Amino acid sequence: MLKKLSELFDYGRKILDEKCNDPYLDSKLDVLILLSEALSVSKEFLFINPNFEPESILVEKFLSFLDRRASGEPIAYILNKKEFMSLSFYVSRDCLIPRPETEILTELAIDFCNKRDSSIFLDMCCGSGCISISVAYYAKKTKIFSSDISEKALSIAKINAKKNGVEDRIDFFCGDLFRPLPNDLKFDFIASNPPYISKYDEISPSVVNFEPKLALYSEDDGLEITEKIVKESINRLNFNGVLAVEINSSKGSDVKKIFCDNGFSEVYIIKDYSEFDRIVIGKKK
Ligand code: GLN
């Protein structure tokens, strides 16, 4: 019978190393997170109290978390939370898990909006709402719109807007890309992390088996939705307005060309922390 923290820790690592089919698995870190969350204690507490014996109901809770992680489920879904831009977001399998790379796109939008007295911002394909909610939180003079095709994802975005105290600053729309938005509404900055995975791309089982397909995949070698967004954005931006989209790292030059072919100027590719092409940005002149 497992009782002490040190035993639970060793057992957890063994199970994950044996069973969890995730190429990015860090079993030590994952067990620390799951144990500290199940027991509602800090990670430091786990280190300095190896002989502590938690109540059996909390041990059960840890073991059920462990089971889910061993099946490949990402930690964010197990705990229903993810940090993004130093804010806390509720997440479930109805929305994509916010990624650190997306913070680069979000920071670009925040910098742009903070340099102006007021601006109108759109987060296209908002999912959990991580981009628009962060912009609302860090760029206080901005009016924010958010759109997503998934009603379930939008209800998560609304929960997150409330959780972060910005629900009065964001208007949410449900539908296919720009369709649900009022026709005469124009924006100063459009940001989008659209579905951009191609069915030919190899992606980790913990992504493909758990994250919503609607938020991941796009036809046309992953470019279909991005192309639609770029094409329509040129009519939806004010002069000197900016479109920035997150991209598949293998598609930098394709997406740059789509921007140039559709009337954008000053089109650049921006790299992520791993030096992969990650964002294409362009201006409407
Ligand atoms: N905007 C959300 C994110 O960046 C959702 C993106 C999506 O569903 N494709 O995480």
Side-chain angles (χ1 to χ4, degrees):
M1 183 63 189
L2 298 162
K3 283 200 166 151
K4 294 179 185 174
L5 281 181
S6 59
E7 293 165 348
L8 290 165
F9 182 77
D10 292 343
Y11 174 75
R13 282 201 72 181
K14 181 169 158 290
I15 292 289
L16 293 190
D17 287 333
E18 277 173 18
K19 296 197 175 159
C20 182
N21 176 24
D22 180 344
Y24 301 105
L25 175 72
D26 180 341
S27 60
K28 185 175 176 186
L29 180 64
D30 286 5
V31 173
L32 277 175
I33 296 171
L34 295 178
L35 252 184
S36 68
E37 288 285 333
L39 273 52
S40 302
V41 296
S42 67
K43 296 189 193 67
E44 292 71 26
F45 180 92
L46 302 176
F47 283 122
I48 49 186
N49 298 288
N51 294 324
F52 177 76
E53 295 186 9
E55 278 176 56
S56 59
I57 189 161
L58 300 179
V59 173
E60 295 290 316
K61 189 171 174 190
F62 166 66
L63 295 176
S64 80
F65 284 174
L66 195 64
D67 245 11
R68 290 172 65 182
R69 184 67 190 113
S71 77
E73 186 169 353
I75 295 237
Y77 289 151
I78 300 172
L79 304 178
N80 290 120
K81 62 180 177 184
K82 179 75 187 174
E83 192 182 295
F84 180 85
M85 295 293 296
S86 304
L87 300 173
S88 176
F89 288 84
Y90 170 81
V91 291
S92 81
R93 288 181 63 179
D94 291 324
C95 68
L96 202 75
I97 300 168
R99 305 292 204 273
E101 298 88 276
T102 308
E103 293 185 344
I104 305 172
L105 174 65
T106 310
E107 278 167 1
L108 284 170
I110 293 169
D111 282 353
F112 176 97
C113 295
N114 276 335
K115 284 196 183 111
R116 299 178 153 220
D117 287 337
S118 69
S119 31
I120 304 181
F121 171 82
L122 171 66
D123 177 5
M124 175 52 75
C125 308
C126 70
S128 65
C130 60
I131 300 175
S132 46
I133 289 161
S134 303
V135 174
Y137 190 90
Y138 292 110
K140 299 279 186 225
K141 293 172 292 184
T142 313
K143 172 72 199 142
I144 318 265
F145 295 84
S146 270
S147 170
D148 202 283
I149 196 164
S150 159
E151 211 150 322
K152 287 181 176 167
L154 269 181
S155 30
I156 292 175
K158 288 175 190 167
I159 292 172
N160 283 323
K162 203 159 188 190
K163 192 171 157 74
N164 288 291
V166 294
E167 72 271 30
D168 299 341
R169 307 257 321 284
I170 309 182
D171 282 345
F172 292 98
F173 292 87
C174 187
D176 190 13
L177 300 178
F178 289 89
R179 203 165 294 162
L181 296 160
N183 278 331
D184 53 350
L185 187 58
K186 292 206 172 195
F187 306 95
D188 299 303
F189 197 110
I190 300 175
S192 183
N193 176 20
Y196 57 67
I197 311 275
S198 144
K199 53 179 176 256
Y200 306 110
D201 288 331
E202 257 187 49
I203 53 172
S204 140
S206 63
V207 175
V208 75
N209 294 337
F210 292 92
E211 301 207 53
K213 307 248 177 311
L214 196 60
L216 292 173
Y217 290 102
S218 176
E219 291 298 320
D220 254 351
D221 207 14
L223 289 170
E224 186 193 30
I225 298 175
T226 301
E227 184 157 11
K228 283 186 181 167
I229 292 171
V230 177
K231 282 200 162 119
E232 193 145 351
S233 289
I234 200 81
N235 303 316
R236 287 293 195 149
L237 283 168
N238 290 319
F239 285 103
N240 285 323
V242 169
L243 169 66
V245 293
E246 190 170 310
I247 57 160
N248 189 332
S249 58
S250 63
K251 298 290 190 305
S253 50
D254 297 296
V255 178
K256 187 174 178 188
K257 183 168 182 319
I258 296 174
F259 269 63
C260 296
D261 288 350
N262 285 284
F264 280 90
S265 316
E266 297 176 34
V267 180
Y268 300 104
I269 299 173
I270 296 171
K271 292 190 184 294
D272 65 18
Y273 312 112
S274 317
E275 289 296 307
F276 290 126
D277 289 353
R278 189 57 65 201
I279 294 166
V280 175
I281 187 164
K283 202 180 240 188
K284 172 172 174 169
K285 283 278 190 186

